[in-house]
Amino acid sequence: MAQSPTTLSVEEVARLAALARIDLTTEELEHFAPQLEVILDSVASVSEVARADVPPTSHALPLTNVFRADEVRESLPVEAVLANAPASEDDRFRVPRILGED
Amino acid sequence: MAEVTTTAELMDYDEAMERFDPVLGLEVHVELNTASKMFCGCSTAFGADPNTQTCPVCLGLPGSLPVVNGTAVESAIRIGLALNCEVATWCRFSRKNYFYPDMPKDYQVSQYDEPICFDGHVDLEVNGDVFRIEIERVHMEEDAGKLVHQGGDTGRIHGADHSLVDYNRAGVPLMEIVTKPIRGLGTRAPEVGRAYMAHLRDLMVALGVSHARMEQGNLRCDANVSLMPKGSDELGTRTETKNVNSLRSVEGALRFEIQRQGALLAEGGRVVQETRHWHEEGWTSPGRSKETAEDYRYFPEPDLVPVAPSREWVEQLRASLPEPPASKRTRLQAEYGFTDLQMRDVLGNAGSLDLIEATVLAGSSAAAARKWWLGELARRANDAGVDLADLTITPQQVAAVQALVDEGSLNDKLARQVIEGVLAGEGEPAQVVADRGLAVVSDEGALSQAVDEAIAANPDVAERIREGKVQAAGALIGAVMKAMRGQADAARVRELILQKLS
Ligand SMILES: [Zn+2]
């Protein structure tokens, strides 16, 4: 309980937004940072009940080695693939040009 | 058009080698040849129409769930074992988060700190010297889609106005093989880098886990290079040249970066940590700066359960490994009786040893198989600008042609025409022989008549042969072969001439 709340700086939120290619104004950053902090705090409260003898896990079920056979299944028709695309051209997704990467 | 020159200052290679020790790090991506993708049942076939091999899973549609392709895991373990790696007893997939339209999910499923295989090595023999390359890890991931940049110059992004994306390749199983820093190669570094890539290509073919076609991007190398001043033990700043996709390019990119970095450091400048692009004309140009270390915010993939290969399974796979390429080379050289010089020619022709082996297995002698693949066929591959293995003729067909030569139905010249026909898609050798009417005339009557005519038309030559000048027979053989339009067995013609004139 009442641990010092996770602090998430506006700078960190700005960095996350940049990584996610989301353009946020200063006002938005200041608005979202405390909200994200609340989420982080809520999740962090899990570690209050997790004691040293409870190992971290990445999956709810104790399963391993769930494999499928290497068999080809039917793909979607290209019309369906592109149905929700904001823009397409020559049966391809059309996206804005991306700067700074290749 | 991309510029074809570089503005980078280059240091003379030998001088760079006198002043610096290069350190390499090679990351090779191998596309597996499974029928279906890594996490869904879409086909991996190359060259399909855009976006016809996609589904909710590989398009990252909400609610879709991935399931691991068991064969891909098996291939990953076999690759690791062939590289003398340990196989993890338990490992997970992770999400590598990045936002770029080649990845519709906005993350790539990969492995982060728990690779399936790790701590291996390969010993490379390069022109008589052996170099050990330590393997850091082999991990499983999925390939990305393909972008075409429209509106500006093709390919590169500059001036592009929008991009078109094809997700057929997104989700194709990809193995990443990463070396530990490779030191101590000195002046041989570019050559060893190339040999390593060639070794991996041969190994993937031997394992049967990848088509290993470099020109189709099945095998792609990211080449890291840094320089240490001689006598120093401190690693320099490295650059990573991305997507170097041919053996020649691997050697060229390493050499170029050594010369470029050498010039920079000698002038008291510093190397910028960055990714660089390789240009086939032989130079690299700066890409993204890595000053702000990439932040992929990896976390364990919650949609996939861990992979925990049992030791029984691993040992089964180990037992199924093919003969390592190096010992196979030694064995075949001995079996085929090739001299060192002949063997060097064979190894210098990518893929020819496997083709020769398959031709011998199909019934040909080793000498004849070598003659075809390194002679006529190498010449034709070279003319067409393709690899030997990409010629549209199989080892079995070559062996069939050779069998016709051995039984006397074809002479060398006709055999080459049959080869030409098979390459042109005219069918099996027997079909080409029939359609083109290429068989050597075995009708003794017709042959005998042609010989008589040649003798009658060249009385002076005939006279000299009668006098014992056997070497003059060549002129008559030529005349008979011409009359038979090449379709005679020259040895038989010679016999007949000598018989008749004795
Ligand atoms: Zn799919």
Side-chain angles (χ1 to χ4, degrees):
Chain A
M1 291 263 307
Q3 288 172 341
S4 65
T6 325
T7 51
L8 191 63
S9 69
V10 168
E11 289 72 31
E12 282 170 306
V13 178
R15 172 158 169 70
L16 287 172
L19 285 169
R21 307 284 189 268
I22 301 171
D23 194 11
L24 295 181
T25 64
T26 313
E27 292 72 42
E28 285 168 322
L29 287 173
E30 280 163 359
H31 180 66
F32 288 131
Q35 290 190 357
L36 287 167
E37 235 175 69
V38 170
I39 295 170
L40 285 182
D41 280 341
S42 310
V43 175
S45 64
V46 170
S47 55
E48 285 172 31
V49 287
R51 295 152 32 135
D53 59 344
V54 181
T57 184
S58 56
H59 205 275
L61 300 171
L63 288 172
T64 57
N65 299 338
V66 177
F67 301 142
R68 37 170 264 279
D70 180 27
E71 283 160 8
V72 174
R73 308 253 301 257
E74 209 173 327
S75 295
L76 290 174
V78 70
E79 302 73 42
V81 171
L82 296 167
N84 291 322
S88 65
E89 188 177 316
D90 298 336
D91 286 344
R92 283 174 250 231
F93 292 83
R94 184 185 160 125
V95 297
R97 71 171 176 170
I98 294 95
L99 292 172
E101 292 200 39
D102 197 354
Chain B
M1 278 298 293
E3 293 168 44
V4 292
T5 51
T6 171
T7 53
E9 300 242 356
L10 299 183
M11 179 181 268
D12 174 69
Y13 185 75
D14 293 334
E15 191 190 341
M17 283 300 130
E18 272 164 32
R19 302 180 53 166
F20 302 101
D21 284 318
V23 179
L24 310 185
L26 301 172
E27 297 171 20
V28 177
H29 286 92
V30 179
E31 256 186 15
L32 297 184
N33 60 359
T34 52
S36 66
K37 291 187 180 180
M38 187 75 209
F39 302 113
C40 64
C42 290
S43 167
T44 60
F46 184 81
D49 287 339
N51 293 305
T52 53
Q53 293 173 174
T54 58
C55 74
V57 173
C58 56
L59 289 170
L61 299 189
S64 62
L65 281 174
V67 188
V68 175
N69 183 334
T71 303
V73 177
E74 187 175 296
S75 297
I77 297 174
R78 294 179 74 230
I79 290 170
L81 291 173
L83 294 171
N84 302 296
C85 288
E86 305 286 323
V87 179
T89 50
W90 191 90
C91 66
R92 288 178 297 189
F93 288 97
S94 283
R95 290 190 183 179
K96 177 182 181 179
N97 297 282
Y98 73 90
F99 296 79
Y100 193 65
D102 66 358
M103 197 44 95
K105 296 194 290 275
D106 288 340
Y107 58 83
Q108 177 191 31
V109 179
S110 180
Q111 292 192 289
Y112 181 47
D113 48 358
E114 298 166 4
I116 184 148
C117 302
F118 51 90
D119 287 349
H121 67 265
V122 286
D123 290 322
L124 295 179
E125 200 196 309
V126 187
N127 293 328
D129 298 311
V130 175
F131 298 90
R132 171 158 291 199
I133 310 291
E134 308 271 355
I135 306 293
E136 169 90 28
R137 58 190 282 156
V138 178
H139 76 244
M140 303 181 279
E141 57 185 37
E142 54 179 337
D143 211 343
K146 268 189 187 158
L147 260 70
V148 188
H149 305 300
Q150 301 289 109
D153 47 354
T154 51
R156 294 275 178 241
I157 202 119
H158 306 290
D161 134 89
H162 62 280
S163 306
L164 301 180
V165 200
D166 169 11
Y167 288 122
N168 282 348
R169 200 180 63 180
V172 169
L174 203 59
M175 300 296 120
E176 184 171 332
I177 303 169
V178 184
T179 66
K180 291 182 178 159
I182 313 166
R183 306 175 186 222
L185 300 180
T187 184
R188 309 285 295 274
E191 192 190 344
V192 174
R194 176 192 180 126
Y196 172 70
M197 200 64 189
H199 175 81
L200 287 187
R201 184 198 55 195
D202 293 349
L203 188 62
M204 297 309 135
V205 171
L207 289 168
V209 296
S210 170
H211 298 303
R213 296 267 178 86
M214 297 189 73
E215 76 284 0
Q216 289 185 3
N218 297 150
L219 222 62
R220 318 196 278 269
C221 180
D222 297 342
N224 290 271
V225 184
S226 65
L227 295 184
M228 287 193 302
K230 283 270 188 208
S232 156
D233 210 22
E234 216 169 293
L235 286 176
T237 305
R238 68 188 166 87
T239 59
E240 180 182 21
T241 306
K242 289 283 203 187
N243 288 327
V244 190
N245 292 346
S246 74
L247 298 181
R248 192 179 57 86
S249 303
V250 170
E251 189 169 354
L254 292 173
R255 200 180 165 91
F256 182 90
E257 272 302 290
I258 287 169
Q259 291 182 271
R260 189 187 68 85
Q261 293 183 15
L264 265 177
L265 294 171
E267 283 171 5
R270 68 183 192 99
V271 175
V272 179
Q273 188 174 349
E274 63 190 357
T275 59
R276 297 184 66 87
H277 300 299
W278 167 249
H279 303 267
E280 291 302 328
E281 302 84 6
W283 54 291
T284 70
S285 64
R288 202 174 352 149
S289 165
K290 282 196 167 179
E291 292 287 274
T292 53
E294 282 144 343
D295 184 354
Y296 292 123
R297 290 152 298 139
Y298 283 96
F299 63 86
E301 166 60 84
D303 286 344
L304 293 167
V305 302
V307 175
S310 74
R311 295 304 95 177
E312 293 74 34
W313 189 28
V314 171
E315 289 318 309
Q316 250 174 35
L317 294 176
R318 195 193 304 278
S320 78
L321 290 183
E323 183 181 14
S327 48
K328 178 171 169 177
R329 284 195 284 272
T330 313
R331 178 176 61 80
L332 289 183
Q333 182 179 358
E335 269 177 34
Y336 295 166
F338 291 167
T339 64
D340 286 350
L341 198 66
Q342 289 173 333
M343 200 60 190
R344 197 171 306 161
D345 276 352
V346 169
L347 297 179
N349 260 285
S352 67
L353 185 60
D354 289 332
L355 295 164
I356 290 170
E357 186 192 20
T359 309
V360 170
L361 287 173
S364 164
S365 72
R370 188 179 63 82
K371 188 198 76 181
W372 282 118
W373 287 106
L374 295 192
E376 179 73 5
L377 291 167
R379 190 178 61 73
R380 287 182 176 274
N382 197 40
D383 288 351
V386 299
D387 284 343
L388 267 185
D390 295 338
L391 286 175
T392 50
I393 188 165
T394 64
Q396 292 72 26
Q397 288 168 327
V398 174
V401 172
Q402 183 57 36
L404 293 172
V405 173
D406 292 342
E407 71 177 39
S409 310
L410 293 179
N411 56 26
D412 264 15
K413 183 173 163 234
L414 293 176
R416 282 198 296 276
Q417 291 180 39
V418 177
I419 295 276
E420 178 190 77
V422 174
L423 288 170
E426 295 170 23
E428 293 297 317
Q431 184 75 38
V432 177
V433 168
D435 290 352
R436 290 194 178 195
L438 290 181
V440 162
V441 173
S442 54
D443 176 348
E444 284 283 317
L447 209 54
S448 178
Q449 192 189 332
V451 171
D452 290 343
E453 282 166 9
I455 290 172
N458 300 277
D460 46 334
V461 179
E463 192 47 41
R464 273 190 285 148
I465 298 171
R466 275 196 197 92
E467 288 163 5
K469 294 209 174 67
V470 180
Q471 66 272 25
L476 288 186
I477 296 172
V480 174
M481 293 303 280
K482 196 174 171 197
M484 304 294 292
R485 302 203 335 276
Q487 301 185 5
D489 178 356
R492 178 70 192 135
V493 171
R494 184 186 170 81
E495 265 173 33
L496 280 175
I497 291 170
L498 295 182
Q499 249 173 41
K500 286 174 192 280
L501 296 179
S502 64

